[in-house]
Each structure stands twice: as structure tokens, then as C-alpha cells.
């Protein structure tokens, strides 16, 4: 293992970045490294971990707000929230199994990758929409705050949004503040066998266009728990006493697509936990995984193209707007993903791949030329010496 | 008074040439001129919702396409002319206030709805479509566009994007940023870039998130793809009045703690109740110190259930009155006073400033007490309206614009309130934006290092600081206001 810096506090992070700038030695920035295999390997000899910055620093259940140091494990935060019947609404995934390890995700890493689960399609939005405030150390080795701890805040440029999903390339997050939501009292799943992806996405759209509060809408691949074809699943969450009527109404609405069954209780909860973590994708360890975001109605065609290009395993979430694809870790397969995504007007992430592939291909779509120049200047504005996660995104 | 920079004399001197050039770029159309340059008609654009500040611009252009916007920006960039973007001009923070040497780009002619897709739950609209216009276009099919600022009848989606507008229903549905999928963005160099689209979430940097709420500092937005949502089966409101702000504050905490998220949770203090009641005769309890309007969604049985639970919570706090709407009409009656609040205050005072800080909700009683003390010491009345669920406080400071001393005091009072918001852990602006109004208070919330970092990000988009100059960032440190050379 290369040189590793594990500061115990924010001052230590500032000092580590200051030295990296002074010595021109780039840093691989991570929490505990649970998503190290995402995107591209970082070109740096030293690792700066925020894993030592732990602890919830503020939790006001009655204000639905929580602040935690960046290295706090997500599971630890969720356990504390559970004691007050609250959740992080975006339903951040636990990708340890997908990446083949047992390292817990940290809240800083989750924000830096802006990953959201099935509930992303609900009114609460993505993790970045629930990010109320950040503290970060920039590539100037300076502490910069953005946002705050209140739900509505439009003061100044929104660097929270810029940092969410920036994969540690613009600043080292040291603390984040999130907006919370009550944990739904109950959830159940309306499950509808469908003949193909197109009908499946249409059924999900019908459910999401209903007034019954669908908080998850996914399409499981054929073969899941022995099913003969794809299964459209729609989740309802609210007070338990409201759910039976809504489930009946939703089944009625979907009756033109076929007869829907119900999955309830723990079985429903387990299904959505699996979906959140992309478990039904069941990718082999040597396969590549792509995460593709498209307009839902474009998903069936996109999936058809992928299927033609390689033996694709596909899992659709977000009403069809999120396509998880697994396939051979080859440049040809990646080329097919890039082409199909572009044709669908969407965006892709090479989410997981063996090193030879992820160093050789663009792991994210190339930006328009005008944005590329802006991106270079924004990067230079926050990290002029390019010491933070070089090579991670491009 | 907030200082505006000295206009660039070299630009003013070239005014005729600039007007001629702009007329070539934005020709007159069937609905009116593409360029406005005469002094009388420029007066129409001299101010926005912060009407205490007035400054006619050098010229106004009214493009009808993204290409025309790009051409004007390309020209202004080349000629180093400042640009002020404008939607409907409803900004309460002076976000669209012109500068004497600036070209105002008004987007109100770009008012077409380009696409509505119920399956993908999105609408593509031009920047000049009104906020309510989007909902009206999709309401027939049971859908709506969620953010609903008070000005939604007039304000335009382009301005909503620039200010990351909120509204009364953010508690459940979030603010503008969470309800966008994409924008067509024009850089100061006149490059047209599509950011986002029909899909959720960026791969790579979240430009859409950064642009949203950027107050015209980074570029112009000419088209917007919004998420549209299926409307709930129904909604109904209740009204609960209490003996003190403290008690009402405890009720808000108890509601949130109960796990029920009302779709709206509005708080009014005694002066606001009285002003609204005098104006709207909504039947508000005049003996109350504080009043909550609480709205829930669902089918009728669910509404009954939730309102029953909420009434039970309110009853634990010895309410002065409790009124649960039984019909949609009764619900409207409860909202009637609140919705007319700005007009109501306008009736009892010749002028008012609408402030917009956010505070941790637990700080409400303390903050209202301090505001009351300030009101006494400034000798100016104030009414407080509060989006209680999300902590967004709107004190309406009443003054007389014909009395310069009164206006000066009102501004100082407002600044003190915003400083208090920051002091208790909140922020300067929850949904109106910094604009020119709160520009000089930015250093209350941010360190110089933080401001320098934000300025550096702006410079990455707008190196010459031509875009909405003299807004958002304090004038000292604004590189555009250093002397500039002209060719």
C-alpha cells in the first residue's frame, strides 16, 4: 500500500493538502475506499483518507437535519436515524457486494459520488438535493463552506451541488449536512409480470403518473427468483393504513398491462434493498458494470441495442430512467454502451471494470467543447495544482 | 442605499453604435421591436420587484430564440459590454436591476412550450414561460410543476432557474433545483450548451446544479426541461391559532416529529394575521399571537385521517382556535388571507420590504422576539410570514418610500434581521436570491476565503465579469470594477 495519510481532524486534512501542493505530490482522496474501483484509478502515490473524521456533529430530528463528519459510515448514520424513525430520503446504496468487498461506505464518499437509490424518483430527489451544506478543503488547502444547515438556502453560488458527484476532484469533503425525511411507516410492492422491456417501462410510467405516491419503480430481469420474464415492481410507502386502498387502486390502473400481485412486509423491504444495491444485476466478478441515465421512454431501445452488441444483463430502476448493465469488460462492449447512450440522449458511467478497461476508455461521457473549457477553469479555480484525485474522472 | 458602480464612460459613449449593432442582431418581430433604446420606453425596464432601486439600462434586447441570445452575448463579450438577464422582472432582491452601461436581455418573448411528455413526466419550455403557465399546460392531465413562488402568475421559469425559486410547498416537493432535468445554457462567449436533458442526474460535474440559483452570474438559460408530477388526489388545509409564538413553534416541532410531512406548513404572527384579516376577511382569529396553516394531501379519507392527527397534536398545545376545512372551498378560505398577504401589508403601509432569511425552525421564537425589539427601536412595523416547515422567514418591513429616512431605516432593519438569521445558524436568503439587495451582507455569511472561491468559480464562466455585474458579490473584490482598457 502506498503512503497513506489518515488525519483525525479538519486541520490535518488542510495540512495534508498544503504539503501535497508544496511538494507537488498528488493525492488519492477517499473515505474508506469502498468505491475505489469506480471510474478510473487515481494517478497518485499517496492516499488522503477522511475515514478518521467521524461522528455525527448535529442531529435535530424535529428540524429533519443532520451533520456528520465525512468519514462517518453511512450505516452508523442510518442506525441513529432509525432510532428517530427518520431516513436519508435518497436511499443511498450499499455497494460493498457489487464491488466485492466488505468496506462500509462513508457519508463523504456517498456525497462525493452522489449516488441515490430507488427513491430518487420521488419528490425528495437525489442525494445532492438533500445536501444542505458542506465543509471542504480545497486544493488551495483552505477551508470553504457552502450551504448551511437550513432547508432553503440560495445564498451565493451552490458549491454543494458542484461538489456532489465531483469524486473528490474539486475538494476534500470534511463534513456534510443533510436534509432528512420521516421513515415511511410501511411499504409494499405491486408486482406485474410483463412480456418485455417496452411494456414494462410503459407500466412503470403509468404507475409514476398516478396520484398514489409510487416511491420506487423498477424492472427486474427475467430469471429473478425463477420468473420467466421481466417483472415490473412498483413500491408504495406511507402510513400502513393508507396502503391497501392505494395498492388496489394502482393494481386497477395497471390492469390493462396484466394482473399484478402484491409483495408485502419484509419481503418487499428486502426487494428494494436489493434493487438499491443493484443486486439483481448479478454481475460476474470479471464483468464490467455500466450505470446509464436516460429518458425512461428511451430505455427499451437502448437496452435492445446493448443486447444486440453483447450478452447484456440489465436492471432498470427509476421508472426505466436508470439502466444498470453488466457485460464483458471489453473496449467493444464499452463502445456499444457509449454509442447506445448517445443515441438515447443519456449519460453513462463506467461504474466498475477491471483496471485494463477503465484506464483505456472514457469512463464518463465527454463534455461539449464549451463546457470542457469551463470544467478546466473550474477545476483550476478549486485545485490549481491538480493534486486532488488526478485522473479519476478523465 | 446600496452603491451601484460608476458606468463605463467608453461604453456609454458608443451607445448609438451599440444600438445599431444590436438592432441587426435582434430584428423587430411581429409583436414589437427587438431592441429598445429610447429613454421613455427604457423606463419600463428600470427596476424589478425591488422597486426602491431604479436605473434605466443602456438598451434592452428582446430576443425570440436561443440563437439571438447567443448572438447578443457574443457581441457583448467581444465589445466588453455588461449584460443583465431579465425574465418577468419580479425579483425581490434586485436581481434584474439594470446598470447604466448594461444591455438588458429580456427573455419574455421566448414563451413557447416546446414539448410535454406525460410518460417521461417532463416538459420542455422556453425561459419566458411563466411558472403557472407550465402547470396550466399540464393540469388538464392531472399534472403540475411543483415549485410555486408567490409570484407564479407572472414570474418566468428562466428567472426561477436563476434564483432557484421556492414557494409554499417546498417542504414536500423541494425547490426549483430538484425539479429540473436540463437547461439550454448560453455562455458569455455565445456558446450554446445543452446541460442535462430528459434524464436524471449528471455523469460528471453537476453543471445543472451549479447553474441553478446562480443569479445570472454564469450564463443565460433560454430553455428549461422541468419535471412534472402527477397531482395528489386532493388537498385540504386547517388553521390553528395559538397564544404565543413559542407555543406555535413547539407545535411545528411536534408535527415534524410525528412523521407527518404536511405539504405546506405556514406560520403568521399577530401583525400578519391582522393585516391579512383586514384585507381578506378570511375569518382569522384576531386574538391569536400566532397562527398556522397546515395543508395535507391524499384522498378524502386520508385527508380526514391526517387532519385528525394534526388537530390532535394542536390540541395538546391549548389552541385559541382550530378550524379544519371540510371542503375544498373551506380550504381555499383558509388560504385566502395568506395568499393575499403581500397585498394586505401593502394596504396598511405605503411601502414594504420583503425580507427572506432562513433560520433553524427551533430558533423561531427567539428570532421573532428579537425582530420585535428591533421593530420598536427602529420605529417601523413588521409582519412575519414564515414557511415554518423549512425555516424560511419573510418579515415584511413597513416604511414610507417618500421619506428617505424611513427607507434608510427599513434597509438597516432588514440587514439586522438577516444578520440575526446568520447568527442563529441560518442564511441571508432562502428563495429570493442575493441580487443587489443582500450583496453587501455576503461577508456576514461567508469568509473572505469562501467569497474568493465563489468568485473564482464565476470567473471560470465569465472571466471579464460581464454577466449581472455588481450583484451577489460585494463590489470590493469585483474584478470588473477595476479600470478597464478599451480598444
Amino acid at each position: 500500500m502506498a503512503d497513506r495519510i489518515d488525519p483525525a481532524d479538519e486541520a490535518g486534512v488542510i495540512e495534508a493538502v498544503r504539503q501535497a501542493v508544496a511538494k507537488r505530490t498528488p493525492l488519492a482522496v477517499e473515505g474508506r475506499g469502498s468505491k475505489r474501483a469506480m471510474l478510473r484509478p487515481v494517478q497518485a502515490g499517496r492516499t488522503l483518507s477522511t475515514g478518521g473524521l467521524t461522528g455525527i456533529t448535529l442531529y435535530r430530528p424535529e428540524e429533519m437535519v443532520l451533520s456528520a463528519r465525512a468519514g462517518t459510515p453511512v450505516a452508523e448514520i442510518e442506525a441513529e436515524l432509525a432510532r428517530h424513525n427518520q431516513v436519508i430520503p435518497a436511499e443511498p446504496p450499499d455497494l460493498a457486494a457489487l464491488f466485492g468487498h466488505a468496506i462500509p461506505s462513508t457519508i463523504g464518499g456517498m456525497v462525493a459520488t452522489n449516488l441515490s437509490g430507488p427513491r430518487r424518483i420521488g419528490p425528495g430527489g437525489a442525494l445532492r438535493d438533500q445536501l444542505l451544506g458542506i465543509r471542504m478543503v480545497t486544493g488551495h488547502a483552505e477551508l470553504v463552506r457552502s450551504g448551511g444547515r437550513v432547508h432553503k438556502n440560495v445564498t451565493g453560488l451552490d458549491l454543494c451541488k458542484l461538489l456532489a458527484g465531483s469524486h473528490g476532484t474539486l475538494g476534500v469533503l470534511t463534513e456534510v449536512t443533510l436534509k432528512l425525511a420521516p421513515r415511511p411507516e410501511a411499504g409494499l410492492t405491486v408486482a406485474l409480470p410483463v412480456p418485455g422491456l417496452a411494456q414494462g417501462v410503459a407500466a412503470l410510467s403509468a404507475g409514476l403518473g398516478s396520484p398514489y405516491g409510487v416511491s420506487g419503480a423498477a424492472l427486474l430481469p427475467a430469471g429473478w427468483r425463477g420468473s420467466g420474464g421481466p417483472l415490473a415492481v412498483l413500491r408504495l410507502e406511507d402510513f400502513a393504513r393508507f396502503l391497501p386502498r392505494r395498492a388496489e387502486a394502482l393494481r386497477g390502473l395497471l390492469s390493462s398491462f396484466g394482473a399484478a400481485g402484491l409483495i408485502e412486509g419484509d419481503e418487499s423491504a428486502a426487494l428494494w434493498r436489493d434493487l438499491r444495491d443493484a443486486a439483481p444485476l448479478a454481475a460476474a466478478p470479471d464483468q464490467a458494470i455500466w450505470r446509464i441515465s436516460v429518458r425512461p421512454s428511451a430505455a427499451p431501445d437502448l437496452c435492445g441495442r446493448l443486447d444486440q452488441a453483447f450478452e447484456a444483463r440489465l436492471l432498470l430502476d427509476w421508472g426505466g430512467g436508470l439502466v444498470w448493465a453488466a457485460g464483458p469488460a471489453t473496449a467493444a462492449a464499452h463502445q456499444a454502451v457509449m454509442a447506445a447512450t448517445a443515441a438515447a440522449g443519456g449519460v453513462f458511467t463506467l461504474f466498475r471494470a477491471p483496471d485494463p478497461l477503465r484506464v483505456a476508455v472514457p469512463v464518463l461521457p465527454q463534455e461539449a467543447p464549451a463546457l470542457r473549457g469551463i470544467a478546466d477553469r473550474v477545476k483550476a479555480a478549486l485545485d490549481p495544482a491538480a493534486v486532488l484525485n488526478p485522473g479519476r474522472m478523465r | 442605499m446600496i452603491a451601484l458602480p460608476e458606468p463605463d464612460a467608453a461604453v456609454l459613449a458608443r451607445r448609438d453604435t451599440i444600438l445599431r449593432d444590436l438592432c441587426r442582431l435582434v430584428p423587430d418581430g411581429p409583436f414589437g421591436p427587438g431592441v429598445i433604446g429610447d429613454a421613455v420606453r427604457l423606463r419600463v425596464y428600470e427596476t424589478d420587484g425591488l422597486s426602491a432601486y431604479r436605473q434605466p439600462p443602456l438598451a434592452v434586447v428582446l430576443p425570440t430564440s436561443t440563437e439571438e441570445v447567443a448572438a447578443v452575448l457574443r457581441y457583448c463579450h467581444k465589445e466588453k459590454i455588461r449584460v443583465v438577464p431579465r425574465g418577468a422582472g419580479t425579483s425581490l432582491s434586485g436581481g434584474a436591476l439594470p446598470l447604466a452601461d448594461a444591455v438588458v436581455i429580456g427573455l419574455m418573448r421566448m414563451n413557447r412550450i416546446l414539448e410535454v411528455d406525460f410518460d417521461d413526466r417532463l416538459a420542455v419550455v422556453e425561459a419566458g414561460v411563466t411558472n403557472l403557465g407550465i402547470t396550466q399546460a399540464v393540469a388538464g392531465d392531472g399534472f403540475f410543476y411543483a415549485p410555486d413562488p408567490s409570484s407564479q402568475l407572472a414570474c418566468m421559469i428562466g428567472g426561477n432557474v436563476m434564483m432557484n425559486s421556492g414557494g409554499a410547498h417546498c417542504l414536500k416537493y423541494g425547490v426549483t433545483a430538484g425539479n429540473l432535468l436540463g437547461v439550454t445554457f448560453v455562455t458569455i462567449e455565445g456558446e450554446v450548451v445543452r446541460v442535462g436533458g430528459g434524464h436524471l442526474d449528471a455523469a460528471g460535474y453537476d453543471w445543472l446544479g451549479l447553474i441553478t440559483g446562480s443569479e445570472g452570474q454564469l450564463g443565460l438559460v433560454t430553455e428549461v426541461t422541468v419535471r412534472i408530477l402527477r397531482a395528489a388526489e386532493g388537498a385540504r388545509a386547517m388553521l390553528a391559532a395559538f397564544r404565543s409564538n413559542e407555543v406555535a413553534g413547539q407545535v411545528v416541532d411536534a408535527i415534524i416529529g410525528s412523521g407527518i410531512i404536511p405539504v405546506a406548513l405556514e406560520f403568521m404572527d399577530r401583525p400578519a394575521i391582522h393585516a391579512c384579516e383586514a384585507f381578506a376577511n378570511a375569518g382569522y382569529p384576531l386574538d391569536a399571537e400566532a397562527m398556522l396553516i397546515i395543508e395535507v394531501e391524499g384522498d378524502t379519507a386520508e385527508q380526514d385521517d391526517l387532519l385528525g392527527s394534526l388537530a390532535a397534536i394542536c390540541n395538546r398545545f391549548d389552541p385559541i382556535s382550530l378550524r379544519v376545512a371540510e371542503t375544498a372551498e373551506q380550504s381555499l378560505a383558509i388560504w385566502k388571507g395568506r395568499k393575499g398577504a403581500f397585498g394586505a401589508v401593502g394596504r396598511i403601509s405605503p411601502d414594504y420590504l420583503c425580507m427572506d432569511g432562513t433560520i433553524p425552525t427551533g430558533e423561531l421564537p427567539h428570532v421573532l422576539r428579537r425582530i420585535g425589539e428591533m421593530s420598536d427601536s427602529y420605529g417601523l412595523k413588521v409582519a412575519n410570514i414564515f414557511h415554518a416547515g423549512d425555516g424560511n422567514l419573510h418579515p415584511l418591513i413597513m416604511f414610507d418610500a417618500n421619506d428617505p429616512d424611513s427607507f434608510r431605516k427599513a434597509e438597516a432593519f432588514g440587514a439586522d434581521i438577516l444578520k440575526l438569521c446568520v447568527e442563529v445558524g441560518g442564511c441571508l436568503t432562502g428563495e429570493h436570491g442575493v441580487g443587489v439587495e443582500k450583496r453587501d451582507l455576503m461577508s456576514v455569511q461567508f469568509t473572505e476565503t469562501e467569497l474568493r472561491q465563489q468568485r473564482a468559480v464565476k470567473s471560470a464562466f465569465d472571466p471579464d465579469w460581464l454577466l449581472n455585474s455588481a450583484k451577489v458579490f460585494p463590489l470590493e473584490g469585483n474584478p470588473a470594477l477595476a479600470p478597464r482598457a478599451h480598444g
Side-chain angles (χ1 to χ4, degrees), chain B residues 26-46:
Chain B
V26 184
D28 295 346
F31 304 109
V35 178
I36 293 170
D38 69 277
V40 173
R41 294 173 63 211
L42 282 177
R43 294 283 300 273
V44 174
Y45 297 89
E46 70 182 1

Side-chain angles (χ1 to χ4, degrees), chain A residues 60-64 84-86 114-116 120-129 136 138-140 142-167 169-170 179-183 201-202 204-212 238-239 241-243 245-246 249 253 291 293-298 318-322 344-349 363-365 367-383 393-394, chain B residues 115 117-122 124 143 163-168 170-175 177-178 180 185 187 189 191-195 197-210 212-215 217-218 227 229-233 252-254 256-261 297-299 301-302 305-306 309 356 358-363 387 389-392 394 424-434 442 445-447 449-450 452-461 463 472-473:
Chain A
R60 296 272 170 83
E62 68 284 3
E63 292 174 7
M64 297 191 292
H84 297 267
N85 284 317
Q86 293 189 331
N114 185 32
L115 291 170
S116 309
R120 193 301 165 226
I121 50 169
L127 188 58
R128 59 86 125 151
D129 296 307
M136 66 161 154
T138 65
H140 300 276
E142 290 173 337
L143 176 71
V144 166
R145 301 160 308 154
S146 183
R149 54 158 288 198
V150 286
H151 285 218
K152 256 158 112 183
N153 185 349
V154 295
T155 321
L157 293 180
D158 191 351
L159 302 185
C160 292
K161 297 277 191 318
L162 182 62
L163 263 286
S166 68
H167 297 272
T169 62
L170 299 177
K179 173 181 173 176
L180 308 169
R183 171 205 287 277
V201 170
L204 298 182
S205 286
L208 288 166
S210 81
Y212 308 125
D238 210 319
F239 293 104
R241 57 193 184 272
F242 295 168
L243 295 184
R245 179 196 70 90
R246 289 199 211 160
L253 181 85
R291 196 171 187 261
S293 189
V294 285
R295 201 168 159 155
S297 59
W318 301 355
L322 177 67
V347 292
F348 69 88
T349 303
V363 292
L364 296 166
E367 280 166 330
L371 272 183
R372 209 174 158 78
I374 288 170
D376 289 343
R377 296 196 293 274
V378 166
K379 167 77 175 169
L382 282 142
D383 178 24
M393 295 176 76
R394 58 172 159 128
Chain B
E115 185 189 354
D117 187 327
F118 295 110
D119 286 336
D120 287 337
R121 298 170 302 285
L122 61 82
V124 185
F143 282 73
M163 292 309 199
N164 195 11
S165 302
C170 301
L171 186 53
K172 177 167 177 188
Y173 291 111
V175 294
L180 298 181
F185 177 72
T187 68
E189 289 92 358
E191 303 275 355
V192 177
V193 189
R194 305 212 183 269
V195 178
H199 57 274
L200 295 166
D201 291 358
Y205 293 144
D206 184 3
W207 302 121
L208 181 60
L210 181 63
T212 308
S214 64
E215 304 199 26
Q217 295 294 317
L218 307 182
R227 295 175 84 182
L229 303 175
R230 176 65 191 254
E233 291 171 274
V252 170
D253 281 358
I256 300 295
S258 77
I260 298 174
I261 297 297
E297 288 182 340
D299 81 340
E302 291 171 1
D305 179 299
L306 293 173
S309 301
D356 170 48
T358 308
I359 55 173
T361 51
E363 298 288 339
H387 302 306
D390 53 35
N392 191 194
H394 292 309
V424 300
C427 66
L428 296 174
T429 172
E431 56 186 5
H432 294 176
V434 176
M442 284 289 273
Q445 185 169 332
F446 294 109
T447 64
T449 301
E450 288 160 352
R452 183 162 22 86
Q453 194 61 72
Q454 289 189 35
R455 283 194 294 256
V457 171
K458 170 174 168 67
S459 295
F461 285 79
V472 182
F473 298 102

Side-chain angles (χ1 to χ4, degrees), chain B residues 125 325-326 407:
Chain B
V125 303
E326 286 177 9
F407 176 57

Side-chain angles (χ1 to χ4, degrees), chain A residues 51-285:
Chain A
L53 277 63
T54 57
I56 292 168
T57 52
L58 174 135
Y59 179 26
R60 296 272 170 83
E62 68 284 3
E63 292 174 7
M64 297 191 292
V65 58
L66 173 137
S67 305
R69 294 196 184 91
T72 313
V74 173
E76 188 180 315
I77 291 171
E78 289 183 329
E80 178 62 18
L81 296 181
R83 294 180 49 221
H84 297 267
N85 284 317
Q86 293 189 331
V87 293
I88 301 170
E91 224 175 346
D94 177 354
L95 299 166
L98 185 139
F99 286 121
H101 58 59
I103 307 170
S105 302
T106 64
I107 194 65
M110 201 54 81
V111 167
T113 49
N114 185 32
L115 291 170
S116 309
R119 220 181 277 124
R120 193 301 165 226
I121 50 169
L127 188 58
R128 59 86 125 151
D129 296 307
Q130 293 143 29
L131 183 63
L132 300 178
I134 55 170
R135 293 170 70 92
M136 66 161 154
V137 176
T138 65
H140 300 276
E142 290 173 337
L143 176 71
V144 166
R145 301 160 308 154
S146 183
R149 54 158 288 198
V150 286
H151 285 218
K152 256 158 112 183
N153 185 349
V154 295
T155 321
L157 293 180
D158 191 351
L159 302 185
C160 292
K161 297 277 191 318
L162 182 62
L163 263 286
S166 68
H167 297 272
T169 62
L170 299 177
V172 184
L173 293 171
T174 55
E175 186 176 295
V176 300
T177 300
L178 297 173
K179 173 181 173 176
L180 308 169
R183 171 205 287 277
E185 187 184 77
L188 59 73
T189 302
V190 171
L192 176 75
V194 288
L197 290 186
Q199 297 90 335
V201 170
L204 298 182
S205 286
L208 288 166
S210 81
Y212 308 125
V214 171
S215 76
L219 203 50
L220 291 157
W224 183 78
R225 300 214 181 157
S227 68
L231 189 69
V233 286
L234 299 101
R235 177 176 61 182
L236 299 172
E237 294 177 300
D238 210 319
F239 293 104
R241 57 193 184 272
F242 295 168
L243 295 184
R245 179 196 70 90
R246 289 199 211 160
E248 267 327 291
L250 183 58
R251 287 166 78 180
L253 181 85
L254 297 175
S255 59
S256 61
F257 294 95
L262 281 186
I263 303 173
E264 296 180 84
D266 291 346
E267 201 189 340
S268 172
L271 164 62
W272 290 98
R273 209 161 37 243
D274 282 355
L275 273 163
R276 180 195 73 180
D277 303 342
L281 190 60

